[in-house]
């Protein structure tokens, strides 16, 4: 089976996604939204070891990467996860894994030839 060869540039659109997920606090927020569903900043701050302002900053970074969406509900803003972007990340990682497996197989074949 031949793995589709894709130029590195094709992965460039995923850079903001992985940059946003590359922070432990943002991963914490994504995890909370995955498990608990849509949350307000007040709820997301509970149990977090960072301030409400920091949570807000991280939510805006996640929103910029298309991972979350906030909508106003009365005086609060409720944040929810956009799972489509997580599925895109999963697809990118699967492609990278396939390419890695193919490279390892080529190396194995080369070593066995000699």
């Amino acid at each position: 089976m031949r793995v589709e060869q894709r130029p590195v540039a094709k992965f460039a659109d995923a850079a903001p996604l992985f940059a946003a997920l590359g922070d432990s606090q943002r991963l914490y927020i994504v995890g909370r939204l995955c498990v608990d569903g849509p949350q307000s900043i007040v709820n997301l701050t509970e149990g977090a070891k960072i301030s409400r302002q920091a949570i807000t900053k991280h939510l805006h970074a996640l929103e910029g990467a298309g991972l979350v969406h906030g909508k106003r509900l009365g005086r609060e803003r409720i944040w929810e996860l956009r799972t489509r972007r997580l599925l895109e990340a999963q697809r990118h990682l699967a492609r990278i894994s396939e390419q890695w497996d193919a490279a390892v197989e080529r190396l194995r074949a080369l070593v066995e030839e000699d």
Side-chain angles (χ1 to χ4, degrees), residues 13 16-21 25-27 29-30 33 39 41 44 54-72 77-86 88:
D13 64 326
L17 172 65
F18 286 107
L21 292 172
Q25 294 299 325
R26 289 193 283 268
L27 277 176
I29 293 168
V30 168
L33 293 172
Q39 300 283 312
I41 291 174
L44 287 168
I55 292 281
T56 301
K57 177 183 164 191
H58 288 301
L59 283 166
H60 287 292
L62 290 167
E63 185 175 41
L67 286 161
V68 299
H69 174 71
K71 60 183 170 184
R72 187 126 336 251
R77 191 168 185 148
I78 304 299
W79 293 88
E80 64 183 324
L81 193 61
R82 288 196 161 165
T83 55
R84 179 186 59 80
R85 288 294 280 168
L86 288 177
E88 288 175 26

Side-chain angles (χ1 to χ4, degrees):
M1 176 173 98
R2 183 151 170 32
V3 176
E4 176 186 344
Q5 296 297 320
R6 297 175 59 109
V8 175
K10 295 280 185 178
F11 292 107
D13 64 326
L17 172 65
F18 286 107
L21 292 172
D23 180 90
S24 62
Q25 294 299 325
R26 289 193 283 268
L27 277 176
Y28 168 80
I29 293 168
V30 168
R32 287 279 308 269
L33 293 172
C34 280
V35 171
D36 300 330
Q39 300 283 312
S40 69
I41 291 174
V42 172
N43 289 345
L44 287 168
T45 305
E46 291 176 12
K49 296 180 181 178
I50 60 174
S51 69
R52 198 162 154 176
Q53 290 80 11
I55 292 281
T56 301
K57 177 183 164 191
H58 288 301
L59 283 166
H60 287 292
L62 290 167
E63 185 175 41
L67 286 161
V68 299
H69 174 71
K71 60 183 170 184
R72 187 126 336 251
L73 184 64
R75 292 179 52 192
E76 290 188 307
R77 191 168 185 148
I78 304 299
W79 293 88
E80 64 183 324
L81 193 61
R82 288 196 161 165
T83 55
R84 179 186 59 80
R85 288 294 280 168
L86 288 177
L87 292 173
E88 288 175 26
Q90 184 180 23
R91 283 192 298 273
H92 283 297
L93 291 172
R95 278 190 215 114
I96 291 167
S97 178
E98 288 172 4
Q99 290 173 350
W100 177 255
D101 290 345
V104 169
E105 183 57 32
R106 287 191 306 271
L107 178 62
R108 185 192 62 74
L110 180 67
V111 167
E112 288 178 354
E113 278 180 9
D114 294 335

